[in-house]
Amino acid sequence: MAKKLYVGGLSYDTTDKTLKEKFAEAGTVETETVIMDRMSGSSKVFGFVEMGTEEEAQKAIEMFNGKELDG
């Protein structure tokens, strides 16, 4: 069963593609979304990643919790 993770504190430069590439290091990424502001079109600096399994989600948490992505 897939597990959705909240990813906060992202850089304004982080895209869906970079989010997916990074989290793919922990396993299968089912979906990835950087939340965008409708008015300005810029990132709201958070997003969601849905990992393929609970184990992959836990691995992603262990690998990336407290780490920087895109500065």
Side-chain angles (χ1 to χ4, degrees):
M1 177 171 208
K3 171 81 175 192
K4 188 176 275 192
L5 303 174
Y6 166 82
V7 184
L10 296 174
S11 164
Y12 285 103
D13 297 324
T14 302
T15 65
D16 289 353
K17 181 181 177 187
T18 57
L19 198 59
K20 182 176 185 168
E21 288 171 353
K22 191 64 171 175
F23 277 78
E25 295 174 20
T28 304
V29 176
E30 298 291 331
T31 63
E32 72 291 328
T33 306
V34 174
I35 305 302
M36 306 300 282
D37 184 277
R38 290 182 195 171
M39 299 297 280
S40 68
S42 64
S43 171
K44 288 191 170 186
V45 299
F46 72 93
F48 298 93
V49 175
E50 188 173 10
M51 302 300 294
T53 66
E54 182 71 38
E55 293 78 20
E56 291 171 333
Q58 189 59 44
K59 183 177 179 183
I61 292 168
E62 292 167 7
M63 289 176 69
F64 305 123
N65 189 30
K67 303 289 193 275
E68 279 193 23
L69 172 64
D70 294 335

